[in-house]
Amino acid sequence: MEATLHIFIEYRIKEEQVQEYEALIEDIAASLSEYGAEKFQWYAAEDQPNLYVELFKVPTKSHYHTLKKWRKSKEHPLFGKLDPVIDGGLEKLNCWAFQARTDELKE
């Protein structure tokens, strides 16, 4: 059985597009469960203006690879809407999968 993967997506939003982006991310977050994602979290960087990170889990590597492809696709009906608001477009959207090694750090 495959281990759950933790997905990190990172990108910078154009300053003049932040309000549009923040409305759009609500639709994206609401739809991710349709793609096998769960436990969505969303962060704005404290010391890097307009830098955002999404965190969520997917059950398999196949889910990750498929979702990564869709998240970077300008043709996707929902995820493609991020292209004009990301600084540099979807090409600058970074997506990584990590497998947990521990549930908590040992002291």
Side-chain angles (χ1 to χ4, degrees):
M1 183 173 159
E2 287 189 70
T4 299
L5 294 175
H6 299 259
I7 309 305
F8 292 69
I9 297 180
E10 175 262 342
Y11 44 80
R12 185 175 308 279
I13 298 299
K14 296 175 186 173
E15 187 170 347
E16 66 277 7
Q17 299 289 328
V18 169
Q19 192 171 21
E20 181 180 341
Y21 161 74
E22 289 187 352
L24 181 57
I25 196 67
E26 291 181 22
D27 293 338
I28 289 172
S31 74
L32 283 172
S33 63
E34 297 171 23
Y35 302 96
E38 57 183 34
K39 301 194 182 224
F40 177 83
Q41 296 177 309
W42 177 51
Y43 297 91
E46 185 66 28
D47 60 350
Q48 295 186 54
N50 307 320
L51 184 72
Y52 293 89
V53 173
E54 300 173 36
L55 308 174
F56 53 88
K57 295 179 181 183
V58 295
T60 67
K61 288 180 185 177
S62 179
H63 282 83
Y64 164 64
H65 291 296
T66 300
L67 197 49
K68 181 177 179 177
K69 179 181 174 183
W70 289 338
R71 290 300 304 265
K72 294 179 77 71
S73 171
K74 294 178 185 180
E75 287 75 40
H76 190 279
L78 176 59
F79 303 139
K81 292 179 181 179
L82 282 174
D83 187 57
V85 301
I86 292 176
D87 190 6
L90 285 170
E91 292 176 14
K92 295 293 186 176
L93 180 142
N94 296 304
C95 185
W96 302 283
F98 294 89
Q99 203 173 79
R101 295 291 186 215
T102 61
D103 289 330
E104 59 184 64
L105 293 177
K106 298 181 186 209
E107 295 182 17

